[in-house]
Amino acid sequence: GHVDFSSEVSSAVRVSDGAIVVIDVIEGVCIQTITVLRQAWSENLSICLVLNKMDRLIFELQLTPLEAYIHMRNIIEQVNMIVSTFHTSDVMALAASTWTPTDNEKEEVVGEDEVDIENWATHDLNDIEAQARAAGLL
C-alpha cells in the first residue's frame, strides 16, 4: 500500500485472483491501505489480510501480550469497517439505480424540515435487501 507502488497495484489487481494486503502493526491502516482495499474490492478479489512486524509491538512498544492482541484486533476491526463501507456503498448504489417511485410517492410532498417516517415501510428495506442478494452483493 505504499504510495510509490500505487501504479503497480492498479495494474496487478486487474490480472489477479486475490490480494494479499500487508499492514505494519505499528503504522496501522494508512491512506494507501484504504486505496488498495478499494481497488481489490472493485475488482472482486478475495482479500487476505496479513499483519506484519508484530515483534515490534513487544520489543519496541513494550506492549503486554493482551495489549498487543487488542492493538491487532483494532487494526482488523478498522479493515472490516473500511470494507463494510464499500459493501454499503454498492448496496445503496444498487438500490438507487433500481428504485422507482410509486404513484402515491410521486404525489406525496414532504416539507424540507419534515421526515415522513410513517410511510417508510420495512418491506422497502426487504426489497432493497432482496435486490442486493440477487445481484450477489449479500
Side-chain angles (χ1 to χ4, degrees):
H2 194 275
V3 72
D4 292 343
F5 303 113
S6 60
S7 63
E8 286 88 348
V9 171
S10 297
S11 301
V13 295
R14 289 186 179 94
V15 296
S16 298
D17 294 327
I20 299 174
V21 179
V22 180
I23 297 178
D24 182 326
V25 292
I26 301 297
E27 291 184 30
V29 176
C30 300
I31 298 296
Q32 280 304 115
T33 309
I34 297 169
T35 302
V36 168
L37 288 168
R38 184 177 293 115
Q39 289 171 329
W41 180 266
S42 67
E43 295 294 328
N44 293 320
L45 298 180
S46 296
I47 299 170
C48 176
L49 181 65
V50 176
L51 299 181
N52 195 19
K53 303 179 184 177
M54 292 188 291
D55 58 323
R56 293 179 62 195
L57 293 175
I58 297 166
F59 296 123
E60 292 178 24
L61 297 182
Q62 302 292 311
L63 297 181
T64 66
L66 179 60
E67 292 170 330
Y69 166 78
I70 291 170
H71 183 80
M72 290 184 289
R73 187 188 65 197
N74 289 340
I75 291 173
I76 294 168
E77 286 177 359
Q78 275 185 297
V79 171
N80 285 337
M81 287 189 317
I82 291 164
V83 172
S84 72
T85 62
F86 303 151
H87 174 73
T88 302
S89 173
D90 288 352
V91 171
M92 295 302 288
L94 175 67
S97 68
T98 59
W99 181 77
T100 54
T102 63
D103 291 336
N104 291 340
E105 291 170 329
K106 289 178 186 174
E107 294 172 4
E108 292 177 8
V109 177
V110 178
E112 291 180 29
D113 296 332
E114 296 178 38
V115 176
D116 192 8
I117 294 175
E118 291 178 19
N119 290 326
W120 180 263
T122 55
H123 73 273
D124 294 336
L125 295 175
N126 292 336
D127 290 344
I128 291 170
E129 183 177 348
Q131 291 171 0
R133 285 190 192 285
L137 296 173
L138 294 177

